[in-house]
Amino acid sequence: MPVDITSAPVSGENPAVTLDYLLRRMRHKSDFPTLSASVSRIQSLSESENESLGGLCDEILKDVALTQKLLRLINTPHYRRGGGDAISTVSRAVSLIGLAGVRNLALSLMLVEHMEDKKHAQQLKEEFLRTVMAGTLASELCTNSRDAEDAFIGSLFRNLGRLLAEFYLPDEAVEVRELARPAPDGTPAGMTEAAASAQVLGMPFEDLGQAVGQTWALPDRLLNTMKAPTGTVPNRSMLGKPEHQSWLATLANAAADAMLFSPPEELGKRLTVLNQKYAASLELKPEAVQEAAARARKRLTELTKALKLELPKNAQAERLLDHFYVDAPNAGQTEGPGPEALGLAHTDAAGELDRDQVVVAKNSADVLTSGIQDITNTMVDSFKLNDILRMILETIYRALDCRRVIFCMRDAKTMQLIGRIGLGHGADGMKSAFQIPLKLAPGAQADLFTAVSLKGADTLISDASAEPILSRLPVWFRDRVQAPTFLLLPMSMKHQGKDMVLGLIYADKAQAGSLQISEKDLSLLRTLRNQAVMAFKQTTGG
């Protein structure tokens, strides 16, 4: 029997019934389950686990559009303050800005993915920018990177209930917005957003966000930050206490709303009032909020350019961006108030976004070339072998649009190549199946994988079901992997005057004949393989 999603709960209904009704309506939308699953998987990755880097990269790389958006954003001036060549792999992005930083960017960019092709896309853009501004403001008010990452995601997710309503319950969101809309002069509306959403939805936005966050298995620390603290702002320092992030999220969201709704000439005054209100509890220096707002506004402008988020002229959300404070306040005047006079003094010396810096490679040769450059840049300094190998696998995965790639490493005790690192569909669980003998019993015939590895012969199998190939495939491959087309790139280096097999790079696709490699691509793939060998030599002293 189909679920009835049209029967709204009556006034005074049990909150659990109201929540169940709202969740049924959201789940009825095709992309909500996908969003939920992606957020849950990414958020569940623990920073303390060795597999977090691989798991995060794997999750992001499943979505080509998300990968491209992330790389565009990573290449904006804020994240590339040291200059240098463009960043072309998610793995290197993690090494430069940290696992938590990339995870938070991925989570926020997922929201952009769900704005496209919706009738109310412009309103969604405004809500997205308002939300990201709050997160960015919170991170800018922190003095260390760990606190900044927690502050960003906590302040961002404080708005989860409102964003979900905008995405999946747009009619109700419009009604709430009208009831809680501030007056043109920026003064508060007659009804708070919490009261308006409770009246329209049957529960406040905050409770909706909390409930969905729990279904997504968000950590308790984040759930606590998502809940606004009650009572007056403490007049003593909250630094180092659990309540600190909650009060910071409250300030960041209040400042973001001030930037969005205040008349420009009133903004500086309102940010000053907020600074004074939270100075003791958050240990803010004078004008800390104004300076953070200037930096956050610059970062948000870079983000909109990188993601090509176009706003209609005179849209309210333009108040959150740089160009508004160049054009809007001075319209029809030869002189007028600049950002400094509006309480948004520039304190960030980062240059304007160079569009050439954020172009994401589109064809296989470009992706391979960019990856090679990325790896070269990484190997100039100290590096971890696993990081280089992951970057190589990621480059191959993206360039050839693979189903999965796996790196097999020599095990001296067993004299086998063992699957160690996997990327793509089911690769993490399947890598253990790869056990390729490098030493054969007398009279034994080498299977295809052993023969290729020992001979050092780069091999592309277009159709694994062809009889001459099928008979030489190892049992483990036929039983567990069953790839119809695959590429083998063996690795070896000189050791005591002899060639020693180091490893094997394996890549496959889901349809026979679909893995096609040009001479140029093959040359670039061999360069990547040589970089892996060089990384082995540098880390082992070989």
Side-chain angles (χ1 to χ4, degrees):
M1 181 176 179
V3 175
D4 180 10
I5 63 168
T6 61
S7 301
V10 297
S11 177
E13 190 79 75
N14 185 308
V17 175
T18 301
L19 174 63
D20 184 59
Y21 163 72
L22 295 175
L23 288 176
R24 284 204 314 272
R25 286 188 58 193
M26 290 191 292
R27 289 175 182 138
H28 185 68
K29 306 294 177 70
S30 60
D31 59 346
F32 181 73
T34 302
L35 173 64
S36 300
S38 298
V39 170
S40 297
R41 284 195 297 266
I42 286 185
Q43 184 58 45
S44 68
L45 294 169
S46 168
E47 296 176 39
S48 63
E49 296 177 359
N50 292 331
E51 293 302 315
S52 290
L53 170 59
L56 178 62
C57 292
D58 201 355
E59 189 63 38
I60 292 171
L61 290 167
K62 289 177 183 177
D63 187 330
V64 174
L66 175 63
T67 301
Q68 291 180 336
K69 285 182 171 68
L70 180 67
L71 291 176
R72 288 181 187 278
L73 189 53
I74 292 295
N75 281 285
T76 56
H78 172 77
Y79 293 103
R80 290 179 57 210
R81 293 184 180 186
D85 295 305
I87 301 162
S88 63
T89 60
V90 177
S91 301
R92 184 157 188 252
V94 171
S95 70
L96 291 176
I97 71 171
L99 187 72
V102 171
R103 181 184 62 191
N104 289 351
L105 288 177
L107 287 171
S108 58
L109 290 174
M110 282 178 178
L111 303 179
V112 181
E113 291 288 289
H114 292 263
M115 291 192 311
E116 298 173 358
D117 302 324
K118 291 186 181 291
K119 295 179 181 178
H120 55 304
Q122 290 304 329
Q123 182 60 42
L124 288 176
K125 288 178 184 178
E126 179 171 305
E127 292 298 339
F128 170 74
L129 292 176
R130 175 187 183 184
T131 296
V132 175
M133 173 56 82
T136 307
L137 271 167
S139 67
E140 289 290 347
L141 286 166
C142 294
T143 56
N144 66 74
S145 59
R146 175 57 189 266
D147 286 347
E149 299 302 350
D150 287 346
F152 177 88
I153 203 66
S155 298
L156 184 88
F157 273 53
R158 174 73 66 85
N159 299 287
L160 180 60
R162 186 201 305 129
L163 280 170
L164 291 173
E166 290 288 356
F167 288 160
Y168 303 111
L169 308 168
D171 293 338
E172 288 88 342
V174 169
E175 190 175 348
V176 172
R177 198 160 52 248
E178 290 301 320
L179 289 171
R181 186 183 298 278
D185 64 356
T187 54
M191 182 178 287
T192 65
E193 184 178 76
S197 52
Q199 176 177 305
V200 174
L201 296 176
M203 63 170 44
F205 281 157
E206 182 179 285
D207 290 357
L208 176 61
Q210 283 275 317
V212 173
Q214 289 172 358
T215 68
W216 288 353
L218 299 182
D220 290 341
R221 183 178 63 183
L222 178 53
L223 289 171
N224 290 336
T225 305
M226 288 166 59
K227 189 172 183 61
T230 57
T232 58
V233 180
N235 57 11
R236 64 188 187 283
S237 175
M238 291 286 105
L239 290 184
K241 298 180 180 179
E243 302 93 328
H244 173 256
Q245 290 286 2
S246 292
W247 285 111
L248 180 56
T250 299
L251 167 59
N253 276 279
D257 285 352
M259 295 174 72
L260 181 62
F261 297 116
S262 297
E265 63 275 11
E266 294 289 329
L267 179 57
K269 178 182 177 181
R270 289 180 182 170
L271 293 180
T272 298
V273 170
L274 285 171
N275 201 108
Q276 294 170 344
K277 182 178 180 180
Y278 288 86
S281 60
L282 301 180
E283 294 191 12
L284 301 177
K285 296 179 181 179
E287 299 190 353
V289 175
Q290 294 92 321
E291 293 174 358
R295 295 191 297 271
R297 180 169 48 84
K298 192 168 212 44
R299 286 177 61 181
L300 198 65
T301 303
E302 292 175 358
L303 180 145
T304 58
K305 290 179 179 178
L307 302 182
K308 299 180 180 178
L309 286 179
E310 300 292 339
L311 292 171
K313 193 173 182 179
N314 300 323
Q316 186 107 10
E318 282 195 316
R319 295 182 177 186
L320 301 175
L321 306 178
D322 265 340
H323 61 259
F324 177 81
Y325 295 97
V326 175
D327 301 328
N330 304 333
Q333 303 177 31
T334 56
E335 295 182 358
E340 294 82 359
L342 299 169
L344 294 173
H346 281 287
T347 57
D348 189 347
E352 290 298 318
L353 176 67
D354 180 356
R355 287 186 179 273
D356 292 338
Q357 293 177 342
V358 296
V359 173
V360 177
K362 292 181 172 60
N363 61 54
S364 57
D366 286 345
V367 175
L368 290 168
T369 302
S370 297
I372 289 167
Q373 185 61 57
D374 223 357
I375 294 160
T376 301
N377 294 338
T378 303
M379 291 176 65
V380 169
D381 302 315
S382 60
F383 62 86
K384 295 180 179 179
L385 177 61
N386 266 18
D387 292 347
I388 296 297
L389 294 176
R390 288 187 188 280
M391 291 172 67
I392 291 170
L393 294 189
E394 179 186 336
T395 300
I396 295 173
Y397 178 82
R398 290 182 56 224
L400 303 184
D401 191 23
C402 295
R403 177 173 63 170
R404 66 176 72 93
V405 290
I406 291 173
F407 177 76
C408 303
M409 185 181 296
R410 178 190 183 94
D411 183 87
K413 292 182 179 179
T414 63
M415 288 299 292
Q416 291 182 319
L417 296 179
I418 306 294
R420 297 296 187 193
I421 304 173
L423 187 64
H425 179 71
D428 197 50
M430 192 174 291
K431 65 187 180 185
S432 61
F434 284 71
Q435 299 184 23
I436 304 165
L438 296 177
K439 191 172 182 179
L440 299 173
Q445 182 180 13
D447 63 42
L448 177 68
F449 283 73
T450 296
V452 166
S453 299
L454 293 176
K455 290 180 180 179
D458 300 335
T459 303
L460 172 62
I461 301 300
S462 181
D463 184 359
S465 65
E467 183 53 38
I469 302 299
L470 188 62
S471 62
R472 298 202 60 187
L473 293 175
V475 173
W476 58 262
F477 185 87
R478 293 198 302 264
D479 288 349
R480 293 190 57 184
V481 185
Q482 301 176 339
T485 180
F486 57 89
L487 171 70
L488 302 176
L489 296 174
M491 293 168 44
S492 63
M493 70 176 188
K494 290 290 184 182
H495 180 68
Q496 297 179 349
K498 297 181 179 180
D499 287 333
M500 180 178 72
V501 180
L502 285 177
L504 177 74
I505 298 172
Y506 165 90
D508 70 28
K509 297 187 77 168
Q511 292 184 338
S514 61
L515 188 55
Q516 299 181 5
I517 302 172
S518 67
E519 287 296 325
K520 182 177 182 180
D521 285 353
L522 181 57
S523 175
L524 293 169
L525 287 166
R526 285 170 172 162
T527 300
L528 277 171
R529 185 256 313 280
N530 293 341
Q531 286 183 313
V533 174
M534 188 181 303
F536 265 94
K537 289 180 178 179
Q538 289 184 221
T539 54
T540 62

